[in-house]
Amino acid sequence: MGGLLLLIISFFIFIFLCIIGLKKKKGSINAIEIILFIIYIISFALFALGLLTHSNQYYTAIDPIDPECYIPFGGQHIITLLLYFICFNVSAVLIWVKGRKLPPLILVLSLIFLFIGIIINLVILLQITSHNTESLGHYKENEGTFLFIFTPLLSFIIALLLIIQIIRKEKVIAKNKTYKNNFLNYCNTILANRFDESIWALILFIPFFIIITIILTLFGQDIDSISKVFTETTTWAFSQKTHPPILDHQGHYLCTVAAKGSPEIVKPIRLGKRNAKIIIVNRQLQIANAFEEMIQDLSPKFHNFIRTNYDKYGYNLSLKINSKTGSNITYILMKPLEWFFLISLYLICKTPEKKISKQYKM
């Protein structure tokens, strides 16, 4: 959640800068800029939402039905990514507001961060295009990854538009310039289709990147944090880490917790074994498992659909039931379903009681 917190902080910094920009551009801002600005803000919210459902680091064992999956960025190195993220947006706002009116050095530095941002955003897009969840079992679905697409995609487009805008303005200025010296005038004519500051930005790109990397190492980041932030992950395109074995939470969650209620109400029959664990077994739990087994035999696809959806909601609900009173209430509420399961078993199975009694045997 640290990465999400830093993202939210940087988001508010970006909003603050944009508010200043809007005030300074008042009267010269057009409808397209406003629409793009609003869409960009929405993309931040979607990105944050994506991090809420993909927040676990590669070394964390997760539940296959837990809505939170693995994050596409290595948490230890995310500060490096966030620094470039903030600098990119600050540079974009400066160029958007001032453009060619910026002091030459500030303009060159801003362009460098735009060039760096273009590369990083392309890498982010490549990182999120592949999210392999096969190792997480059939419960995990590739959900929510599209939420990460909009921010890097829009950042890439905005950076290109700003650079093109600066280049066009420079062309106009260069073409209108005249020098008394014939040689300088000739050189200006040759270079009229080029952008001086962009050339300097490209020349200083690598040296400036090295300086920023050295500064980051002073704050505890690795020298190659910019690559590790993508590789020290799991299940994503550039991931080089494997996650721990997934946690085991398969079963009838509500019926299982219901069986832990008061004996005189839930009527436990015996102890049973599920996935090498000892559990309390009552008839309600046996009937529910026998019914699932029957559905699996009749239609594996339909069973997978039911199990996937039940795992998403049933398990999370069962975690909140941690008292005998809650188990008793659950047992009573599950009674109508128990009767439905039992009737279905007697309608379809030849030996329903045999199927029921064999469930969860030691």
Side-chain angles (χ1 to χ4, degrees):
M1 295 299 289
L4 177 59
L5 180 62
L6 288 172
L7 175 65
I8 292 171
I9 292 171
S10 59
F11 169 71
F12 281 110
I13 293 172
F14 170 72
I15 294 293
F16 176 73
L17 289 169
C18 284
I19 289 171
I20 295 173
L22 286 169
K23 286 182 178 180
K24 289 190 175 182
K25 280 183 71 73
K26 191 176 181 181
S28 63
I29 190 169
N30 57 49
I32 295 175
E33 288 178 321
I34 294 174
I35 292 169
L36 194 59
F37 171 73
I38 292 170
I39 294 172
Y40 196 39
I41 295 298
I42 294 171
S43 77
F44 274 92
L46 294 175
F47 198 91
L49 186 60
L51 286 179
L52 284 175
T53 56
H54 298 78
S55 60
N56 291 298
Q57 291 298 325
Y58 71 89
Y59 47 78
T60 305
I62 66 172
D63 194 299
I65 62 163
D66 196 305
E68 292 188 17
C69 195
Y70 287 108
I71 190 170
F73 313 112
Q76 184 181 348
H77 311 284
I78 203 166
I79 293 174
T80 296
L81 191 64
L82 285 166
L83 174 67
Y84 285 115
F85 170 81
I86 293 170
C87 291
F88 171 83
N89 284 286
V90 170
S91 300
V93 171
L94 286 173
I95 292 177
W96 176 50
V97 175
K98 291 288 187 178
R100 288 282 297 122
K101 295 178 182 178
L102 283 170
L105 183 58
I106 299 297
L107 180 56
V108 170
L109 291 176
S110 297
L111 286 168
I112 289 173
F113 279 118
L114 286 189
F115 286 134
I116 294 173
I118 286 173
I119 295 171
I120 291 176
N121 282 304
L122 278 175
V123 176
I124 292 174
L125 285 171
L126 291 173
Q127 173 81 325
I128 61 178
T129 51
S130 176
H131 188 205
N132 188 353
T133 59
E134 290 180 4
S135 60
L136 303 178
H138 70 276
Y139 299 106
K140 262 305 179 215
E141 296 177 1
N142 197 8
E143 294 179 345
T145 55
F146 74 95
L147 296 172
F148 293 118
I149 294 174
F150 304 104
T151 297
L153 181 61
L154 285 171
S155 297
F156 177 80
I157 293 171
I158 288 170
L160 285 180
L161 290 175
L162 288 172
I163 291 171
I164 291 169
Q165 183 185 39
I166 293 295
I167 290 174
R168 284 178 176 174
K169 287 182 179 179
E170 180 61 24
K171 282 182 180 179
V172 173
I173 294 171
K175 285 179 180 178
N176 293 331
K177 281 181 181 177
T178 55
Y179 298 91
K180 292 180 180 179
N181 186 290
N182 291 331
F183 176 73
L184 290 176
N185 203 51
Y186 173 77
C187 290
N188 179 65
T189 303
I190 297 296
L191 297 173
N193 292 325
R194 298 180 184 178
F195 172 49
D196 297 340
E197 280 80 2
S198 69
I199 294 172
W200 277 110
L202 289 172
I203 292 170
L204 296 174
F205 178 89
I206 294 177
F208 189 74
F209 182 79
I210 293 171
I211 292 170
I212 293 294
T213 302
I214 293 171
I215 293 171
L216 283 167
T217 58
L218 298 176
F219 290 90
Q221 294 290 283
D222 292 346
I223 199 76
D224 54 350
S225 281
I226 193 62
S227 62
K228 284 184 176 179
V229 74
F230 298 106
T231 58
E232 289 195 355
T233 57
T234 186
T235 71
W236 297 92
F238 298 118
S239 297
Q240 294 184 0
K241 300 292 182 179
T242 56
H243 57 79
I246 60 175
L247 299 175
D248 184 15
H249 276 115
Q250 298 182 33
H252 291 274
Y253 313 110
L254 296 177
C255 290
T256 302
V257 296
K260 297 178 182 178
S262 304
E264 62 272 15
I265 296 176
V266 303
K267 299 178 177 63
I269 299 172
R270 55 175 169 80
L271 294 177
K273 184 179 284 188
R274 182 180 64 210
N275 299 322
K277 294 180 181 179
I278 304 299
I279 61 171
I280 298 171
V281 179
N282 66 351
R283 184 167 172 80
Q284 186 180 79
L285 180 57
Q286 284 182 313
I287 290 171
N289 204 58
F291 176 79
E292 181 181 4
E293 188 180 281
M294 180 186 72
I295 295 297
Q296 188 172 20
D297 292 338
L298 293 172
S299 176
K301 287 185 179 180
F302 183 55
H303 167 263
N304 184 58
F305 171 78
I306 294 174
R307 168 51 69 181
T308 301
N309 284 280
Y310 180 56
D311 283 340
K312 283 184 181 179
Y313 308 108
Y315 173 63
N316 292 328
L317 181 59
S318 70
L319 291 177
K320 299 175 183 179
I321 305 168
N322 48 25
S323 66
K324 280 200 171 184
T325 302
S327 295
N328 292 337
I329 293 171
T330 304
Y331 175 81
I332 294 167
L333 292 175
M334 292 292 291
K335 266 295 176 184
L337 270 178
E338 178 191 340
W339 295 331
F340 171 75
F341 295 157
L342 185 61
I343 292 169
S344 300
L345 285 164
Y346 269 83
L347 284 172
I348 298 171
C349 295
K350 290 182 179 180
T351 55
E353 285 301 328
K354 185 177 179 181
K355 182 179 280 290
I356 292 169
S357 62
K358 75 174 184 178
Q359 304 301 318
Y360 301 116
K361 282 194 173 181
M362 296 288 284

